[in-house]
Amino acid sequence: MLKIKPKFETFEDYLAYDNNSDKWYELFNGELVEMPPESGINVQIANRLFLIFALLLGTDKVRGQGLELEVRGEPRNRYPDLTIIREEHINLLAKRNTIRLFMPPPLLVVEVVSPGELQRNRDYIAKRRQYEDCAIPEYWIIDPEAENILVLELKDKTYIEVGEFSADNRIISPQFPRLDLTPSQLFQPSVGV
């Protein structure tokens, strides 16, 4: 039997579609593109970071990879590895874990870079532009291969580099100045996590 892939004219059409699957899809040129599973190391790093932020902020404001962001350009949606949401998002996301363009942006999005040049370009270039366009105040790019964390802050509609942190250098977060975290705690779990 031939299966016909759905084609979506609008983001609202996509949101109304339910294929009874627990898979995640990016909406690219009106078509669903299934997202591959994350690498084990990326999941470990995101989980460690989730725990750290949950202890700092409470679990309701910290969302793992299942949170979907509507963005401009292609694809039309992204699934950050970690997102820190605002208080008002908690009720807005009760039915569907999607932050729309008309909603306030989240406070922070984090991407853990997957292996490969294509994935590096997505996180360092394409997603950076899309998150900047959504006016997300802070964006972290965690690079397991280089074992560093790039922190970007939105200033005058453009991301500027706060710093690139590695080893035991304390990460500076403009949105979360009370955060006491070093890259070593994420990359080497025996050190403090």
Side-chain angles (χ1 to χ4, degrees):
M1 174 185 264
L2 179 64
K3 260 189 151 177
I4 298 173
K5 289 185 175 183
K7 181 86 171 164
F8 303 97
E9 296 297 321
T10 67
F11 198 74
E12 284 71 23
D13 292 342
Y14 157 73
L15 291 175
Y17 177 72
D18 183 6
N19 68 349
N20 294 318
S21 170
D22 59 354
K23 297 177 181 176
W24 294 331
Y25 298 91
E26 287 182 338
L27 181 62
F28 194 84
N29 289 328
E31 296 182 1
L32 299 178
V33 177
E34 185 178 337
M35 300 200 39
E38 283 287 339
S39 70
I41 189 69
N42 285 26
V43 171
Q44 286 175 318
I45 290 168
N47 284 346
R48 290 176 195 139
L49 193 59
F50 183 99
L51 178 60
I52 290 163
F53 270 109
L55 291 171
L56 180 70
L57 305 171
T59 56
D60 289 350
K61 291 184 182 177
V62 186
R63 299 289 167 111
Q65 193 188 28
L67 180 122
E68 178 181 41
L69 289 177
E70 179 184 14
V71 294
R72 291 178 190 84
E74 298 294 337
R76 298 281 315 275
N77 58 333
R78 295 289 189 181
Y79 296 90
D81 292 305
L82 187 97
T83 306
I84 306 299
I85 62 173
R86 299 170 188 269
E87 186 73 34
E88 61 263 34
H89 286 132
I90 295 169
N91 287 332
L92 292 171
L93 301 178
K95 290 185 181 174
R96 183 173 176 128
N97 203 25
T98 302
I99 296 179
R100 302 289 312 274
L101 288 169
F102 59 81
M103 295 177 180
L107 296 172
L108 168 68
V109 291
V110 177
E111 294 289 356
V112 182
V113 181
S114 296
E117 195 59 34
L118 179 63
Q119 287 76 8
R120 293 184 74 74
N121 287 339
R122 276 189 197 142
D123 292 335
Y124 280 96
I125 299 169
K127 290 180 185 179
R128 178 178 174 158
R129 287 183 187 142
Q130 287 181 309
Y131 296 159
E132 185 178 77
D133 179 64
C134 290
I136 297 169
E138 193 169 329
Y139 175 37
W140 291 15
I141 303 171
I142 299 179
D143 193 332
E145 193 174 292
E147 290 196 1
N148 65 29
I149 299 170
L150 176 63
V151 175
L152 302 164
E153 180 182 24
L154 195 67
K155 293 276 189 186
D156 299 321
K157 300 182 181 181
T158 303
Y159 279 134
I160 60 156
E161 191 173 311
V162 172
E164 192 168 338
F165 305 93
S166 60
D168 292 323
N169 296 317
R170 186 176 168 271
I171 298 167
I172 297 169
S173 170
Q175 292 293 310
F176 305 98
R178 295 184 309 133
L179 182 69
D180 187 16
L181 176 66
T182 66
S184 295
Q185 291 173 278
L186 297 179
F187 298 121
Q188 301 166 9
S190 61
V191 182
V193 175

